[in-house]
Amino acid sequence: MSVQVENLEKNMAKLTVEVSAEELEKAIQEAYMKQKSRISLPGFRKGKVPRNMVEKMYGVEIFYEDAVNALVSQEYPKAAEESGLDIVSQPSIDVEQLEKGKSFIFTAEVAVKPEVTLGTYKGVQVKKVDVAVTEEEVEKEIEKQRENNARMVTVEGRPVEDGDTAVIDYEGFVDGEAFEGGKGENHSLVIGSHSFIDNFEDQLIGKNAGDDVEVNVTFPEEYHAPELAGKPAVFKVKINEIKAKELPELDDEFAQDVSEFDTLTEYKENVKNSLADRKENEARRAQEEEAIQKIVEDSQMEIPDAMIETQTRSMVDDFANRIAQQGLSVEQYMQFTGTTVEQLMEQMKPDALKRIQSSLVLEAIAEAEKIEITEEDVDAELNNMAEMYGMEVDKLKEYMGEREKESMKKDLAIQKAVDLVRESAEEVEVEETEEQGE
């Protein structure tokens, strides 16, 4: 294999990769061997047709696609490494020469990591954030815990109110006909949750347990079931039961139930300290983001489109993995939201660009400051990871190859660059009128 590198505009490069005719022939033969068991021709037993007969019948190109895919997967990583380029995108592959008896030539167009001309990165001005915890915030946090520990009790002697849970049987009709998925029994519906369409829940307010209610609604125009979208519907509803939350008393017993503390006073103090820690962390992150964004704006770099495309696709894949953990496929998400993968990509592109720019300037700062990561730094991080995942450090080290170790060092260097930016930043008071005007 040989590789030629051509530098293109806007931090793009083209690799021209030449693979010997012998390697091409080997890949074609392997493609034939993989497919032969499925090939049948008159006069031959299935799986026993000679390759030359198959090529005579269907053309010599019949095995080319599989051979090319195998060769590109095998040779491109080698070519990328041999090129010495810092490649930051997936390759765009084009076949230049593909003919039996000749060398196989393909090109790979890739994005190369852009150079960054840093602006000012020390002493960046950031807004001072008030991290004081108010009594109102403490009470609000405790109220959340009361809500979380509330129990549901059956209500008697009054009608449905906003915030209640109505236990209902229901069946929906469009044009007088019951529709699929429109029926349920003993469904617990939280009034005001807007989990049912239109003003369905509002029409149950004021009704009593045992009432039969006719609820009139209209399906949204963008409803995921096209046969129902935009249509008026009637639901016949039976209210079986009304339930309401009963909050626990705010006393020492409550504090003991929800925390490790014996008294309500101690619990409140702990809540206040936890809120203070949270606000300080949020303020630190906000200031870091503000400082990094200002550094980006004061720096120069040319980001190739292919790099943004690769980052965006990575973010879409991460998003797909997250919703899959919640039991939802990308296809279902697209159906429910009425969006396409292309629209999702377009929505994520600004964030993808922001991530790339932030990462590039932080790497440039680490380089400018000659930030080095020692083995002690790596060991400390491994200890943190082992504690986080409940693993033994030695066991974790077994899973780490040189590539993972280098990636960790890069991440640690970037974090040190972030720390440097934050610690050198200058906090400035922002007038309330100025904040309102932004």
Side-chain angles (χ1 to χ4, degrees):
M1 181 200 71
S2 66
V3 184
Q4 291 183 340
V5 178
E6 179 186 354
N7 292 317
L8 307 175
E9 294 181 342
K10 297 183 178 178
N11 290 308
M12 296 294 291
K14 183 162 75 172
L15 311 183
T16 301
V17 185
E18 185 171 349
V19 182
S20 70
E22 290 76 19
E23 285 296 318
L24 175 59
E25 170 57 28
K26 182 181 174 184
I28 293 172
Q29 178 64 17
E30 287 176 356
Y32 158 70
M33 295 300 291
K34 284 181 181 177
Q35 296 184 39
K36 66 180 291 190
S37 62
R38 302 191 298 270
I39 300 171
S40 60
L41 283 179
F44 295 92
R45 282 185 297 153
K46 190 173 183 180
K48 299 296 183 181
V49 185
R51 178 179 144 192
N52 65 332
M53 292 298 296
V54 179
E55 291 176 336
K56 184 180 288 187
M57 177 66 71
Y58 298 106
V60 292
E61 301 87 1
I62 185 170
F63 301 116
Y64 278 5
E65 183 178 351
D66 285 354
V68 165
N69 288 339
L71 279 176
V72 169
S73 298
Q74 174 184 299
E75 301 299 328
Y76 168 72
K78 299 177 188 175
E81 186 173 355
E82 190 174 316
S83 72
L85 298 174
D86 195 345
I87 296 171
V88 290
S89 75
Q90 293 298 316
S92 176
I93 303 291
D94 281 316
V95 174
E96 299 292 325
Q97 180 172 290
L98 178 56
E99 189 177 337
K100 191 185 288 189
K102 293 186 178 180
S103 58
F104 167 55
I105 302 174
F106 70 93
T107 61
E109 199 164 307
V110 295
V112 180
K113 182 180 173 181
E115 289 188 9
V116 177
T117 304
L118 281 171
T120 300
Y121 60 87
K122 289 182 180 176
V124 177
Q125 289 191 337
V126 294
K127 295 173 189 172
K128 188 172 183 177
V129 182
D130 183 9
V131 294
V133 177
T134 65
E135 284 303 314
E136 184 182 352
E137 288 171 326
V138 173
E139 296 300 331
K140 189 176 178 181
E141 188 67 23
I142 291 174
E143 200 60 27
K144 280 185 193 174
Q145 287 299 321
R146 289 184 74 201
E147 288 280 345
N148 292 339
N149 288 272
R151 64 189 187 98
M152 300 301 294
V153 295
T154 300
V155 174
E156 294 178 353
R158 71 161 174 82
V160 175
E161 295 178 357
D162 192 20
D164 285 345
T165 294
V167 182
I168 61 173
D169 298 337
Y170 63 89
E171 185 170 17
F173 300 83
V174 170
D175 297 329
E177 297 289 331
F179 57 87
E180 188 177 351
K183 187 175 182 179
E185 293 182 354
N186 287 319
H187 179 83
S188 294
L189 175 63
V190 179
I191 307 301
S193 65
H194 306 294
S195 53
F196 272 31
I197 62 167
D198 202 6
N199 60 350
F200 186 107
E201 295 159 28
D202 296 339
Q203 294 178 57
L204 300 184
I205 293 176
K207 308 300 181 185
N208 291 287
D211 285 355
D212 291 304
V213 185
E214 194 172 272
V215 175
N216 293 278
V217 293
T218 301
F219 282 98
E221 292 290 344
E222 67 279 5
Y223 195 65
H224 63 83
E227 68 276 8
L228 299 177
K231 291 189 176 181
V234 177
F235 281 85
K236 293 180 180 178
V237 180
K238 173 70 177 289
I239 302 176
N240 299 324
E241 194 178 5
I242 303 168
K243 292 185 175 183
K245 281 183 180 179
E246 186 178 83
L247 299 178
E249 290 293 327
L250 195 56
D251 53 21
D252 290 346
E253 188 177 342
F254 168 74
Q256 292 162 16
D257 286 341
V258 300
S259 74
E260 61 191 48
F261 300 98
D262 293 326
T263 67
L264 184 60
T265 302
E266 290 174 310
Y267 172 59
K268 281 186 176 181
E269 187 63 27
N270 178 257
V271 169
K272 185 175 183 179
N273 292 337
S274 296
L275 285 173
D277 288 343
R278 186 194 308 170
K279 290 183 82 169
E280 285 172 8
N281 288 334
E282 288 171 353
R284 185 176 68 250
R285 284 194 295 271
Q287 289 180 336
E288 285 174 358
E289 288 180 13
E290 183 185 359
I292 292 166
Q293 189 54 38
K294 285 185 174 180
I295 297 166
V296 166
E297 290 167 3
D298 198 34
S299 301
Q300 294 179 353
M301 67 198 97
E302 189 173 31
I303 313 295
D305 291 340
M307 187 178 186
I308 300 172
E309 180 84 6
T310 298
Q311 177 66 43
T312 306
R313 287 198 178 279
S314 175
M315 290 168 63
V316 169
D317 289 343
D318 288 344
F319 174 74
N321 289 332
R322 287 199 305 274
I323 63 172
Q325 290 171 1
Q326 299 168 17
L328 196 65
S329 69
V330 173
E331 291 73 21
Q332 288 170 321
Y333 174 82
M334 298 301 170
Q335 184 183 12
F336 294 155
T337 59
T339 56
T340 64
V341 173
E342 289 73 23
Q343 288 171 328
L344 189 60
M345 291 270 295
E346 205 58 38
Q347 291 168 13
M348 290 189 174
K349 270 188 180 178
D351 280 342
L353 176 60
K354 190 174 178 180
R355 285 192 191 184
I356 291 168
Q357 291 171 326
S358 299
S359 180
L360 286 173
V361 297
L362 289 169
E363 286 178 30
I365 291 169
E367 190 174 335
E369 291 292 320
K370 296 182 172 55
I371 292 174
E372 292 186 6
I373 302 302
T374 64
E375 288 301 319
E376 288 75 16
D377 293 327
V378 172
D379 287 341
E381 182 64 13
L382 285 170
N383 283 322
N384 289 335
M385 290 174 65
E387 189 175 336
M388 187 187 304
Y389 297 120
M391 294 176 64
E392 293 180 7
V393 176
D394 291 341
K395 200 71 178 173
L396 189 58
K397 285 180 178 179
E398 287 178 17
Y399 295 117
M400 293 212 43
E402 279 306 311
R403 182 175 294 181
E404 288 78 16
K405 195 172 180 180
E406 286 307 309
S407 178
M408 178 184 284
K409 284 185 175 182
K410 180 180 175 182
D411 291 342
L412 289 172
I414 285 178
Q415 186 52 54
K416 285 195 174 186
V418 172
D419 294 341
L420 182 148
V421 167
R422 186 189 68 253
E423 289 164 7
S424 68
E426 179 188 345
E427 286 188 328
V428 293
E429 296 279 0
V430 178
E431 297 292 334
E432 189 175 338
T433 52
E434 181 184 334
E435 284 187 332
Q436 290 173 348
E438 286 181 352

